[in-house]
Each structure stands twice: as C-alpha cells, then as structure tokens.
Amino acid sequence: LAKGPLAGIKALVTSGPTFEPIDPVRFIGNRSSGKQGHAIATALARLGADVTLITGPVRLADPSGVRTIHVETAREMLGAALGNLPADVAVCAAAVADWTVSNASKEKRKKYPGAPPPAIELAANPDILATLSEAGSARPRLVIGFAAETEKVLEHAKAKLARKGCDWIVANDVSPATGTFGGDFNSVHLISASGTEDWPRIAKADVAERLAWRIADFLKPGGAE
Ligand code: C5P
C-alpha cells in the first residue's frame, strides 16, 4: 500500500500539448514539452498519491509509478479526464490547443499545380480545466490550473481563476526578463481566493515538489488553505 502524505488520494494531471489533425498526416500543435506536468505527476506519486497522467504527444518517458494515458486531441484529453473521475485533485498543466480544425479531411489533402492552398477552418475546443471545475458532484475537491503571462501576471491570473472556476492558479511569469522560457528556473505565484503566495525563484523541478506538498497540506484531514 502507498505511504506518504498523499496515500489514498487520487490525482489527475494533464500535461503536454494537444495535436489537432488537419488530415491523416498533418496537425496543428504547440511547443509544450510536458516537463512541468510530468514533474508534477512524479512529485504527487512520490508523496503516495494514486496518479493518472493524461498527456499529449511529448518526448518524455512515462513517469514511473504513474498510470499514463496517451492522447492526441483536446477532445480526447477531455474524454480521458472525465472518464477518470472521481479524483480528489486535478492539476491541468497541459497546453491544450484553443482550436480544433473543423474541416479536417479523412484523406490527405492534395496539392494541385496552380490551385490555391486549402483553407483551414477552426472551431473552439472544450476547456478541460473549466469543465472539471464545473463537474458538479464529480468535481475534484481541488482543481488547479496554470497561467503563463508576460505582463500584469497577478491581474490576469486572478481573472483566470474566476473565469475558469478553479481553486488555485499557478501563475507563471514568462516575460523575457525572467529567463523562464528555455531556462531551468521559474518564478511562480500560487493564487487562490484567499490570497497570493509569491514563491521564490526556484528550479522548475522544485516547483512540482513544492506544489505537491502544498496539495498534501490542503487535502489532509482538517487541512485548509
Ligand atoms: O485559457 P488558458 O489556456 O490561458 O488557460 C490555461 C489553463 O487552462 C491551463 O491550466 C490549461 O491546462 C487549461 N486549459 C484547459 N483546456 C483548454 C485550455 C486551457 O484545460 N482548452
């Protein structure tokens, strides 16, 4: 049986990008590496949680001790998330594509000499974080989202907390001056209805561990934020 402060706790983590097909061989994606989400899944498992990681396509190994489900599209990610409720805590770290290709074709799009390029039509994707936050009696006790901002970090993150209906936002300052993009260190703020914690500049791996301990503190019997 698992030991640790999160023993008996079920956690859902989303990570990585989503890929939205244009046709059977092409897609729209993004540059998310999945490092932060995978690190969070690992940190939660180390504290004893029963972790399901739902990940888009990444170049990372499945973390050991974590049940990993591989998906491609936002719709598949949402289906996997809803299909793995109930959970005590959900951490939405995935960089979900905002749009899917509504006119994706079953056959590979052909290029014909002289013909204009095909038009790609987009439609909004479901918001996984918002959907989990509104899941009624199936709602995890603690729903956590991420916000990467380049300006007015706290203001934008607080608005996101309200808009998505989640409990905490990990706001990530990615303005060029911080060196966060491509760097090993991160400066985050943990935002909840009751206030803002400014974390020191720490290694990205340590953000995951610190968040896992913070989750354990919140979920422990009698724990509060
Ligand atoms: O709205 P925005 O993409 O900036 O919000 C980021 C947060 O929302 C992240 O936690 C991300 O995982 C989550 N999200 C989601 N589904 C979407 C879009 C964002 O879960 N379709």
Side-chain angles (χ1 to χ4, degrees):
L1 217 64
K3 289 206 174 75
L6 288 174
I9 291 296
K10 212 186 144 203
L12 265 190
V13 180
T14 71
S15 185
T18 64
F19 284 4
E20 307 296 330
I22 294 169
D23 68 19
V25 301
R26 305 181 180 97
F27 61 87
I28 294 175
N30 65 67
R31 295 185 193 282
S32 168
S33 68
K35 280 182 187 165
Q36 188 67 88
H38 279 55
I40 290 165
T42 299
L44 291 169
R46 278 210 201 109
L47 296 193
D50 170 4
V51 183
T52 300
L53 172 66
I54 303 165
T55 181
V58 292
R59 296 162 187 259
L60 298 172
D62 293 355
S64 63
V66 168
R67 196 164 74 93
T68 304
I69 298 171
H70 292 267
V71 299
E72 293 231 329
T73 67
R75 201 154 280 286
E76 288 165 7
M77 188 172 274
L78 176 66
L82 294 178
N84 280 282
L85 294 177
D88 299 290
V89 54
V91 184
C92 292
V96 182
D98 291 312
W99 303 289
T100 190
V101 179
S102 55
N103 64 342
S105 72
K106 284 203 174 66
E107 307 296 338
K108 184 183 172 191
R109 284 174 184 269
K110 301 292 291 174
K111 59 177 187 285
Y112 299 103
I120 290 172
E121 283 164 23
L122 301 176
N125 260 330
D127 190 312
I128 297 160
L129 176 59
T131 306
L132 289 175
S133 297
E134 289 163 3
S137 61
R139 186 193 194 278
R141 271 190 283 159
L142 182 58
V143 181
I144 305 171
F146 276 72
E149 308 287 352
T150 58
E151 45 143 22
K152 298 183 188 161
V153 176
L154 295 181
E155 193 181 319
H156 287 153
K158 281 176 190 163
K160 192 162 292 183
L161 182 79
R163 193 167 67 241
K164 306 262 188 175
C166 59
D167 302 298
W168 297 353
I169 288 272
V170 181
N172 189 356
D173 187 343
V174 296
S175 58
T178 65
T180 297
F181 245 68
D184 289 328
F185 284 78
N186 208 350
S187 40
V188 307
H189 311 267
L190 182 62
I191 296 164
S192 70
S194 61
T196 300
E197 282 177 26
D198 303 314
W199 290 7
R201 208 168 125 81
I202 51 177
K204 285 179 176 176
D206 294 333
V207 170
E209 198 183 325
R210 192 167 169 149
L211 184 65
W213 278 104
R214 199 64 192 68
I215 290 167
D217 203 42
F218 178 86
L219 291 177
K220 74 171 185 258
E225 59 185 59

